[in-house]
């Protein structure tokens, strides 16, 4: 199933299939794997499905997976495109920081401007 999810993220036109694969994986109780999960997050971000991408990130955290700094940075960077996501971006930033990671300084500055939530 995880290989199917990864394969469905190769092209933007396949995103509906990726969404179906993700839903079926969840319903079947299949544990997510990091490479397809990150590929799916990237596909969601490319399609501007920001809320869904953050939801997948949270699923990763709940499954004790640590998305890469690249994936986390892409999520945090969304607040520039969609200011209403600043608090969710701050949550990703805080998760990365708590795990000992560090995102690029320009993302942290952009987040501080977009989010009055105390970063």
């Amino acid at each position: 199933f995880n290989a199917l999810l990864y394969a469905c993220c190769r092209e933007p036109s396949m995103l509906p299939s990726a969404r179906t694969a993700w839903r079926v994986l969840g319903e079947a109780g299949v544990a997510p794997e990091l490479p397809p999960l990150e590929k799916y997050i990237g596909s969601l971000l490319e399609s501007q499905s920001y809320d869904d991408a953050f939801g997948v990130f949270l699923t990763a955290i709940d499954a004790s997976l640590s998305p890469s700094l690249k994936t986390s940075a892409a999520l945090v960077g969304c607040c520039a495109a969609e200011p209403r996501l600043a608090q969710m971006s701050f949550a990703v930033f805080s998760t990365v920081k708590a795990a000992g990671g560090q995102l690029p300084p320009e993302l942290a500055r952009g987040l501080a401007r977009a989010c009055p939530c105390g970063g």
Side-chain angles (χ1 to χ4, degrees), residues 14-72:
M14 297 178 74
L15 185 57
S17 297
R19 288 180 189 274
T20 300
W22 179 253
R23 182 180 47 77
V24 170
L25 281 167
E27 289 172 357
V30 175
E33 295 174 2
L34 201 50
L37 185 138
E38 289 190 312
K39 185 80 168 162
Y40 185 44
I41 288 173
S43 294
L44 290 168
L45 291 175
E46 286 176 23
S47 73
Q48 298 180 346
S49 299
Y50 303 127
D51 293 303
D52 293 336
F54 278 104
V56 174
F57 177 85
L58 293 176
T59 298
I61 299 305
D62 288 345
S64 298
L65 298 174
S66 297
S68 69
L69 286 177
K70 179 181 176 184
T71 298
S72 298

